[in-house]
Amino acid sequence: MRLFFSFSTPELGWISKVHVNRPAVVRHAEQIKKWRTVKGNWQAAWLLKAVTCIDLTTLSGDDTPSNVHRLCFKAKHPIREDLLKAMDMHDKGISVGAVCVYPARVTDAVNALKAAGCNIPVASVAAGFPSGQTPLETKLAEIKLAVEYGAREIDIVISRSLVLTGQWERLYEEIRQCREACGKAHMKTILATGELGSLANVYKASMIAMMAGSDFIKTSTGKEVENATFPVGIVMMRAIREFYWQTGNKVGFKPAGGIRTAKEAITWLMLVKEELGVEWLTPELFRLGASSLLEDIEKQVSC
């Protein structure tokens, strides 16, 4: 199916014609789970690539300046120096893709990273995260504040109710206004796929988010019952590929929530390579949302 876009006045008649072959997607996802992982030096290389694509995250109600500072130190030094020296990678500047926090903690993260002398961007969740059940005016104000505090990336969350009730024009307009509020900051749009009801809705929401100007589309807030899954990832990446074919614009992909092991990280990298190609395997086009993944990666690198 070929989709044709007019970005000033989007034509959304194609929405009703979208069909996703769920059994085929699920079968492919099951095959992915059986992929054999790489070993030895190749494994180390893939894992270091994964590290550079991690959005190191803390999104807890008890976040304080001190634990954000510790997170920023880990962001700059994600792998122990002795392990990097053993791989002759100690002078390659290995660091994570970004540090992700709530808007109220953005200033803490910006100051900590500045004091550490590194240029890792700070990402902030916004727009009524995680539920999206916030008036649009409040969402836009929160985005603008996060940018004002120094966030260079904004992770917004969509209103799932607009997807579930088929209000695609309103969804487009809401995301478009969020994109405008972000200014020069990159915008990642969280679809909260576990709450969208179907893979067809995941595809539709992915397309609408990209049409409205998203720099990335992201699976989950990490707060849903179901977060990043391979079926959802396949559908979102194929939407990204279709969008690229139609417009020439590359949009990034970020699976988030529940990714805790080195093996899972490598599998996501391999899936991105298969679906989108090697050029997507950079922090500019691929991120992993994770809070505890680094511990297992470091463990595997040390083996």
Side-chain angles (χ1 to χ4, degrees):
M1 179 182 182
R2 287 287 180 258
L3 310 178
F4 297 91
F5 309 121
S6 171
F7 290 93
S8 56
T9 53
E11 173 52 57
L12 301 181
W14 56 269
I15 282 281
S16 62
K17 301 175 184 178
V18 168
H19 171 73
V20 173
N21 187 338
R22 181 180 175 82
V25 172
V26 170
R27 281 197 302 272
H28 185 39
E30 289 301 316
Q31 292 170 352
I32 292 165
K33 293 177 183 178
K34 299 174 184 176
W35 283 354
R36 295 179 63 183
T37 189
V38 290
K39 300 291 184 182
N41 291 339
W42 285 107
Q43 182 188 53
W46 278 93
L47 289 177
L48 290 182
K49 169 62 72 174
V51 168
T52 66
C53 296
I54 288 176
D55 280 1
L56 194 58
T57 302
T58 181
L59 295 170
S60 300
D62 58 357
D63 283 339
T64 63
S66 59
N67 79 285
V68 170
H69 289 177
R70 288 192 296 272
L71 188 79
C72 291
F73 179 84
K74 188 64 175 175
K76 185 181 180 183
H77 306 283
I79 303 294
R80 292 199 328 254
E81 185 74 7
D82 62 308
L83 296 178
L84 291 175
K85 284 184 177 178
M87 294 182 285
D88 195 26
M89 295 294 289
H90 59 286
D91 58 349
K92 305 302 181 186
I94 300 292
S95 64
V96 302
V99 169
C100 185
V101 295
Y102 276 117
R105 300 270 72 90
V106 167
T107 302
D108 297 328
V110 169
N111 290 340
L113 292 168
K114 184 177 180 180
C118 61
N119 194 38
I120 298 171
V122 173
S124 173
V125 295
F129 180 95
S131 70
Q133 298 283 8
T134 305
L136 179 57
E137 293 79 8
T138 305
K139 294 180 180 182
L140 299 178
E142 186 177 38
I143 291 169
K144 291 174 182 177
L145 278 174
V147 173
E148 183 181 318
Y149 295 156
R152 287 157 53 190
E153 301 178 2
I154 302 294
D155 288 31
I156 71 162
V157 61
I158 68 168
S159 298
R160 278 76 100 190
S161 63
L162 297 180
V163 175
L164 296 172
T165 56
Q167 298 183 69
W168 302 108
E169 289 84 0
R170 280 192 61 189
L171 179 65
Y172 170 88
E173 182 59 22
E174 183 168 297
I175 298 173
R176 187 197 67 77
Q177 289 190 45
C178 289
R179 170 65 269 180
E180 189 175 280
C182 286
K184 294 182 179 179
H186 281 213
M187 186 176 81
K188 307 190 200 90
T189 298
I190 306 169
L191 304 183
T193 55
E195 297 176 348
L196 295 188
S198 70
L199 291 179
N201 277 347
V202 170
Y203 187 92
K204 295 172 185 179
S206 297
M207 280 295 187
I208 295 294
M210 291 186 287
M211 291 169 65
S214 303
D215 297 293
F216 268 74
I217 52 175
K218 175 178 171 181
T219 60
S220 322
T221 66
K223 310 292 186 181
E224 296 93 60
V225 174
E226 183 180 87
N227 295 293
T229 66
F230 293 134
V232 159
I234 292 166
V235 170
M236 290 176 68
M237 281 186 267
R238 291 186 181 176
I240 289 171
R241 189 169 65 193
E242 176 72 26
F243 188 78
Y244 174 60
W245 285 344
Q246 291 295 325
T247 69
N249 295 324
K250 294 178 181 177
V251 174
F253 172 64
K254 178 179 174 181
I259 304 171
R260 297 184 176 89
T261 69
K263 185 179 186 300
E264 289 172 321
I266 290 177
T267 304
W268 277 108
L269 285 165
M270 294 171 69
L271 182 56
V272 169
K273 181 183 176 184
E274 178 187 79
E275 293 289 337
L276 297 173
V278 176
E279 56 196 301
W280 255 264
L281 294 179
T282 68
E284 289 73 34
L285 288 170
F286 177 66
R287 297 288 180 84
L288 286 161
S291 55
S292 56
L293 174 61
L294 267 181
E295 184 179 343
D296 191 59
I297 287 181
E298 199 167 49
K299 178 182 176 182
Q300 296 303 318
V301 167
S302 65
C303 291

